[in-house]
Amino acid sequence: MVSRRSWVEQVMGLPISVLARGEGAGSEAAEVAVRKVFAELIEVDRVFSPYQADSAVSLLARGEVSWDRVDPVVREVAERCVAARELTGGLFDAEVPGGGWDPSGLVKGWAVERAGEWLREVGDVDWCLNAGGDVLVVCPSTEPFTVGIQDPRDPGRVVASVPRTGGAVATSGTAARGAHLYDPRSGGAAKSRWLSVSVTGPSLEYADVLATAAFVAADGWPDVLNALPGYEGLGILADGNLFATAGWGER
């Protein structure tokens, strides 16, 4: 019987779970790696959360700190946001209406991807790191995890699944947080007949960015995924119908 162990903590305002599978799942090395993952994500939330008054994002918004005085990691994320905007033709943009800056659409995927490096150091364990539905998979054994895609009309139901031996699955839509996504082209809320778009690919940072941009693109979402090789998508319509790109479901 394959050994399994799981951990769950509330970070960034959402449940983050780690599943370990393999002989080393119960080892001290696995425990240490997971604690480092959570510690890193807590620190990222401290720096980037727009809901914490003393975060860099909040201080910048209030004009209490200038860009040349923030931690270098904040400037790194800002540069990544600019690159994401260019990659998506402006469909993803951390500059929000009214002149604010909110990198949340990139930070979670970037942070989880970076924190996942701690898991890669434990070579005899397969890992599935789930940050509120955005999933990073690390499988040295090459045995896949099956990642479920939530029904945006019924959070308790899975409408599709995709096997992954590595890489990421990210989903963007309005089911969990309502109409929180905006369209940089109009400056208003993103409008689409698609309830969600899920994206698979090598990097969770880019899968998350592309999922956001794809949702904003509405019916043009499959074309957005052509911005980078190795990314595929699944869209769910309001009537429950699904549409997948040609490579969806590949490991």
Side-chain angles (χ1 to χ4, degrees):
M1 180 129 179
V2 177
S3 177
R4 293 173 180 261
R5 188 179 177 192
S6 62
W7 300 256
V8 181
E9 287 199 15
Q10 196 82 7
V11 187
M12 300 180 175
L14 47 85
I16 295 183
S17 65
V18 183
L19 172 63
R21 179 183 68 190
E23 291 185 4
S27 68
E28 179 65 18
E31 175 71 27
V32 169
V34 172
R35 292 303 155 201
K36 287 180 176 179
V37 166
F38 285 133
E40 183 157 337
L41 295 178
I42 289 169
E43 174 62 12
V44 167
D45 191 44
R46 184 191 70 80
V47 174
F48 289 100
S49 172
Y51 304 107
Q52 296 197 30
D54 60 349
S55 73
V57 170
S58 295
L59 293 173
L60 284 166
R62 295 195 302 268
E64 295 178 14
V65 68
S66 59
W67 278 102
D68 61 347
R69 299 296 298 274
V70 296
D71 191 291
V73 74
V74 180
R75 293 194 293 273
E76 177 192 342
V77 165
E79 291 170 0
R80 288 179 175 274
C81 287
V82 171
R85 182 178 62 205
E86 294 173 352
L87 176 72
T88 61
L91 291 169
F92 175 95
D93 197 345
E95 301 292 335
V96 296
W101 182 68
D102 183 359
S104 302
L106 179 139
V107 161
K108 183 172 69 168
W110 165 81
V112 171
E113 186 82 32
R114 193 172 74 157
E117 291 303 311
W118 295 114
L119 305 180
R120 297 181 192 279
E121 293 184 4
V122 188
D124 60 346
V125 177
D126 293 338
W127 299 97
C128 183
L129 172 52
N130 186 334
D134 291 341
V135 179
L136 177 69
V137 173
V138 179
C139 286
S141 74
T142 72
E143 289 295 321
F145 281 105
T146 299
V147 179
I149 305 300
Q150 185 184 71
D151 186 341
R153 302 165 303 167
D154 179 359
R157 182 169 175 260
V158 171
V159 293
S161 61
V162 58
R164 297 296 296 177
T165 57
V169 182
T171 298
S172 186
T174 57
R177 295 172 56 194
H180 69 289
L181 296 174
Y182 85 101
D183 187 338
R185 298 168 298 184
S186 66
K191 297 179 180 180
S192 176
R193 64 194 183 105
W194 301 87
L195 294 183
S196 69
V197 177
S198 298
V199 175
T200 62
S203 160
L204 184 55
E205 176 183 349
Y206 285 107
D208 208 2
V209 164
L210 290 175
T212 298
F215 184 82
V216 170
D219 285 352
W221 72 260
D223 295 332
V224 173
L225 307 189
N226 295 328
L228 287 174
Y231 291 82
E232 302 291 342
L234 175 75
I236 302 177
L237 286 164
D239 62 6
N241 282 325
L242 312 180
F243 176 82
T245 57
W248 175 264
E250 294 180 357
R251 297 184 184 180

